[in-house]
Amino acid sequence: MSPSTHCCLVYFCHLGSAAVQCQHNMKSHLMEKLRCMFEGIAKAGHSKPLKDFYPELFVTERVSEEVNKEHEVRLIETASRKPAKKETQIRCEDIFKPLPAQDQSIRTIMTTGVAGIGKTVLTHKFTLDWAEGKTNHNIHFTFLLTFRELNLMKGKEFSLVELLHYFFIETKEAGICRFDRFQVVFILDGLDECRLPLDFQNIPIWTDVTEPTSVDVLLTNLIRGDLLPSARIWITTRPAAANQIPAECVGMMTEVRGFTDPQKEEYFRKRFRKGKLASTIISSVKISRSLHIMCQIPVFCWITATVLEDIFITCQRGEEVPKTVTQMYSHFLRVQSIQGDRKYHGRANTDPHWSPESRQIIVSLGKLAFNQLEKGNLIFYEADLAECDFDIKAASVHSGVFTQIFKEEFGLYQGKVFCFVHLSIQEFLAALYVIHSFINTGVNLFSEEQPASGEDKLLLLYESAVEKALQSESGHLDLFLRFLLGLSLETNQNLLRGLLGETGRSSQTNQNTVSYIKKRINGDLSQERSINLIHCLNELNDCSLVEEIQQLLTSGSLSRDSLSPAHWSALVFILLSSEEQLDVFDLKKFFASEEGLLRLLPVVKASKTSLIQE
């Protein structure tokens, strides 16, 4: 034990038996709450010890303070192309320890990472290890709070002491009011889910821990160090929300990278320990570059494992392994419907795979998903469900699929919130709802224009959805658009037979949609938007642009003059999707002009070294 740790413990004991008992009670409560987690959701998932839940997640310092507002799938795809660098991995228990190059302790840490990458798991691991006495012995109290729960305090007034007494009853029972006497850590999980107005410019300075004020004032002053400056703060968030906290209030930025390629394999081998199923699934995932990249997200590994286990074991119908995200999620929804009804009704649905209750619940969930996706919300409260006339009690009783894809959570201490198993599930159901609304009501949720023919109406739906997605600065509808267009294919609609109904689709409509997307790629779009549209073409089973560039690369006849903007985007797509690491990217092979540099900038950024002709 270090001298500093020993001094802290002695000082803590001198504060009295009430404080010691309070800490003991808090640790016991946290160990009970955090020792196990559920894969999927609590009602339908499999409980596992937290230490066995995932391999140790890769956390590193984030050097750039620039906020990337791209869609998170694009962030994952971009990160997968980054060459392995000699980065210092930060262990969970060492999150507050200075890095080798730093000479002073850090008060406020921000950890970013895309939805489902493991940020919450990381905070739970830190808190559990502290509660079990394994690490951070110098910390007296760890206050783990989620913005999901803090949102419920909106409109109410507390002092900081009262807020802690409310969430952590042990501190109230012990009568602790002077938290400046302790080494305290506040973990604020899920900044991206915050619905409180954190206005760092205009909120007044607040320094009194006993004086009541609004919760947003307390949090803002706590983060910037005016309130309880001796406390340490750890904030987690999705990347797009990181700029809600001024840079001067954050001592260090870290990033959760998710699973490395070896950890992806480790996950599947841990889940399927018997026979050759794990190897079969790993090989199948590697066939599709896009799906293999997505498995960097732990939750997507669970979705993939659920689907492929059904295909290889349960179904035994020789079904094709999904090669696109729409195929994967269509399978996933069907599997969850079957398993859910078997669990809750003692039987599985016969073909078609949807009971009347499941159909109604999915449509209601789709409406909720779409409405909240447009607002940028990933979590919902009972008022949000009421806006969609959603009967939570009826849904949980009558539909097994509801409990498989939607979380009804009670907070660690207080309150109830709702969310989908993952953001991508919300995006998929939102796309499903848009198609369902069009089929059953003829309403285009993106346009008030009503062409005469049904085929023209369907084409307008796809075109207006493309435009809506392109207008989003953050790209928050990118994956939604991939799903929407992927659902136009007959193969995917067959998987959802009995749920969607007949779209009146035709191959000509799909062809016209492809032509429209290619026209937009040839327009004045950023490479990020263009690349997402190429992914959309893949969801529509059109690979012509990519094949044209591949032929030119193979023949060696690639010429600057022959490349349209669409071809440039296809070239970037190919280079970024290549399984070969871009340790060195020789730009001279692809035209060392100013135009070539600008067009290939995403590739240059992804490479370790770029060679440019003098």
Side-chain angles (χ1 to χ4, degrees):
M1 182 183 296
S2 68
S4 60
T5 300
H6 176 73
C7 289
C8 284
L9 289 175
V10 171
Y11 177 63
F12 183 54
C13 291
H14 284 171
L15 293 175
S17 59
V20 175
Q21 187 62 44
C22 173
Q23 187 196 59
H24 173 77
N25 293 341
M26 273 189 64
K27 286 186 172 185
S28 298
H29 177 84
L30 289 168
M31 285 189 285
E32 180 183 351
K33 286 283 186 180
L34 302 178
R35 189 162 277 161
C36 290
M37 291 189 69
F38 291 87
E39 188 172 36
I41 63 176
K43 292 183 179 180
H46 302 288
S47 174
K48 292 183 178 180
L50 180 60
K51 63 184 178 64
D52 296 334
F53 195 69
Y54 292 137
E56 184 164 344
L57 296 167
F58 188 82
V59 184
T60 185
E61 182 181 13
R62 202 178 89 179
V63 178
S64 173
E65 294 183 357
E66 178 183 354
V67 176
N68 194 327
K69 293 185 178 181
E70 290 181 341
H71 188 280
E72 294 184 348
V73 170
R74 288 285 300 120
L75 295 180
I76 288 293
E77 291 163 351
T78 301
S80 71
R81 296 301 308 130
K82 290 181 180 178
K85 298 178 182 178
K86 292 183 178 179
E87 296 175 304
T88 302
Q89 183 172 0
I90 302 171
R91 296 179 62 84
C92 176
E93 63 268 25
D94 298 333
I95 196 74
F96 283 104
K97 292 183 180 178
L99 295 176
Q102 297 171 330
D103 55 3
Q104 59 183 3
S105 61
I106 298 168
R107 180 182 186 271
T108 305
I109 303 286
M110 178 179 285
T111 298
T112 67
V114 304
I117 203 75
K119 301 183 295 297
T120 295
V121 173
L122 198 68
T123 63
H124 285 194
K125 180 70 164 55
F126 176 93
T127 307
L128 180 62
D129 285 349
W130 169 79
E132 291 180 338
K134 296 178 179 178
T135 59
N136 291 295
H137 304 290
N138 61 315
I139 295 174
H140 300 140
F141 293 109
T142 297
F143 297 123
L144 174 58
L145 293 163
T146 70
F147 281 98
R148 294 183 178 189
E149 296 174 289
L150 290 168
N151 289 339
L152 297 169
M153 303 294 105
K154 189 174 183 178
K156 301 177 182 179
E157 290 197 349
F158 296 87
S159 67
L160 181 61
V161 170
E162 289 170 339
L163 188 70
L164 292 176
H165 285 178
Y166 179 81
F167 280 105
F168 305 91
I169 190 66
E170 298 89 351
T171 63
K172 182 178 181 180
E173 292 172 344
I176 299 176
C177 297
R178 291 289 306 275
F179 292 98
D180 57 327
R181 297 182 176 182
F182 305 103
Q183 182 61 58
V184 172
V185 169
F186 285 88
I187 300 177
L188 306 176
D189 186 31
L191 173 66
D192 50 283
E193 298 172 341
C194 179
R195 296 193 185 184
L196 300 167
L198 302 181
D199 186 350
F200 284 81
Q201 296 298 321
N202 300 309
I203 281 180
I205 293 176
W206 204 266
T207 60
D208 192 338
V209 298
T210 63
E211 188 68 23
T213 186
S214 62
V215 175
D216 56 294
V217 171
L218 292 179
L219 291 175
T220 303
N221 281 274
L222 185 65
I223 292 169
R224 66 189 180 193
D226 294 318
L227 188 65
L228 202 61
S230 62
R232 292 183 176 182
I233 314 294
W234 183 11
I235 305 165
T236 71
T237 182
R238 292 167 58 215
N243 61 351
Q244 290 187 50
I245 309 296
E248 60 269 20
C249 296
V250 179
M252 185 172 72
M253 296 284 291
T254 61
E255 181 181 4
V256 182
R257 297 279 181 82
F259 284 169
T260 61
D261 285 353
Q263 286 176 326
K264 295 172 190 177
E265 295 193 19
E266 181 183 350
Y267 172 88
F268 291 117
R269 295 195 189 282
K270 278 187 174 181
R271 177 172 174 126
F272 305 107
R273 296 182 183 275
K274 297 181 179 179
K276 299 180 179 179
L277 183 57
S279 297
T280 303
I281 288 177
I282 291 168
S283 299
S284 299
V285 170
K286 287 183 176 179
I287 291 174
S288 170
R289 178 69 177 158
S290 61
L291 297 183
H292 187 245
I293 289 172
M294 286 281 283
C295 281
Q296 186 174 335
I297 304 173
V299 171
F300 190 79
C301 283
W302 170 67
I303 291 172
T304 301
T306 301
V307 170
L308 296 186
E309 181 180 24
D310 180 73
I311 289 176
F312 292 135
I313 294 181
T314 309
C315 293
Q316 297 181 345
R317 292 192 294 266
E319 292 187 22
E320 288 189 10
V321 173
K323 294 182 174 60
T324 67
V325 289
T326 308
Q327 290 175 351
M328 182 67 76
Y329 280 69
S330 297
H331 272 282
F332 179 73
L333 188 60
R334 188 193 67 177
V335 170
Q336 297 295 45
S337 174
I338 294 172
Q339 293 181 351
D341 279 351
R342 181 183 294 119
K343 179 177 179 67
Y344 283 84
H345 301 302
R347 56 173 174 76
N349 284 319
T350 55
D351 202 10
H353 306 287
W354 316 98
S355 66
E357 296 86 2
S358 289
R359 282 198 296 270
Q360 181 56 47
I361 293 303
I362 289 174
V363 171
S364 297
L365 285 176
K367 182 178 181 180
L368 176 69
F370 179 73
N371 290 348
Q372 296 298 321
L373 184 64
E374 284 200 309
K375 297 177 182 178
N377 293 334
L378 281 74
I379 60 164
F380 330 111
Y381 299 93
E382 292 181 282
D384 299 318
L385 272 61
E387 286 181 7
C388 296
D389 299 320
F390 192 86
D391 188 338
I392 189 79
K393 292 182 179 179
S396 60
V397 170
H398 295 295
S399 175
V401 68
F402 164 76
T403 58
Q404 305 286 321
I405 63 176
F406 196 68
K407 291 184 180 182
E408 177 184 355
E409 292 185 337
F410 288 93
L412 190 62
Y413 291 93
Q414 304 287 338
K416 183 193 294 186
V417 294
F418 306 89
C419 64
F420 291 96
V421 171
H422 188 249
L423 170 61
S424 56
I425 296 292
Q426 181 177 346
E427 293 166 311
F428 177 73
L429 288 176
L432 202 65
Y433 174 71
V434 169
I435 290 287
H436 185 275
S437 295
F438 177 83
I439 293 170
N440 289 275
T441 67
V443 172
N444 181 343
L445 293 174
F446 296 112
S447 174
E448 295 180 359
E449 185 181 345
Q450 294 293 324
S453 73
E455 188 170 312
D456 288 343
K457 288 182 179 180
L458 187 57
L459 178 60
L460 177 63
L461 172 67
Y462 297 141
E463 291 178 352
S464 53
V466 169
E467 294 306 316
K468 184 75 171 180
L470 291 177
Q471 290 168 13
S472 169
E473 180 185 351
S474 66
H476 78 288
L477 295 177
D478 282 3
L479 188 57
F480 161 85
L481 183 63
R482 294 190 203 179
F483 284 136
L484 182 70
L485 296 172
L487 287 170
S488 70
L489 295 186
E490 185 175 359
T491 51
N492 291 325
Q493 292 191 1
N494 284 340
L495 285 169
L496 304 173
R497 186 170 65 249
L499 177 62
L500 277 178
E502 292 297 325
T503 62
R505 63 188 178 275
S506 72
S507 58
Q508 187 59 48
T509 301
N510 282 355
Q511 203 62 40
N512 291 339
T513 304
V514 167
S515 298
Y516 182 80
I517 291 175
K518 288 182 177 179
K519 178 181 177 181
R520 294 299 282 119
I521 296 174
N522 253 325
D524 185 21
L525 296 178
S526 68
Q527 286 287 34
E528 288 76 17
R529 299 279 81 80
S530 295
I531 289 172
N532 189 63
L533 290 183
I534 293 177
H535 277 290
C536 290
L537 292 177
N538 287 346
E539 294 292 332
L540 288 164
N541 277 346
D542 185 280
C543 303
S544 55
L545 265 181
V546 172
E547 289 171 353
E548 288 172 20
I549 290 297
Q550 286 175 330
Q551 289 173 4
L552 292 173
L553 284 170
T554 303
S555 64
S557 59
L558 202 60
S559 166
R560 179 179 63 207
D561 298 331
S562 66
L563 291 188
S564 66
H567 285 126
W568 277 111
S569 297
L571 176 59
V572 171
F573 178 85
I574 290 172
L575 294 172
L576 291 178
S577 300
S578 170
E579 292 191 16
E580 298 179 3
Q581 290 292 333
L582 290 172
D583 288 342
V584 177
F585 176 62
D586 190 354
L587 188 59
K588 292 180 290 185
K589 294 180 180 179
F590 302 97
F591 328 113
S593 65
E594 183 178 353
E595 179 190 12
L597 177 60
L598 292 174
R599 294 284 189 180
L600 297 174
L601 195 56
V603 185
V604 174
K605 288 181 177 179
S607 64
K608 184 182 297 184
T609 305
S610 299
L611 302 178
I612 303 177
Q613 185 178 11
E614 297 292 338

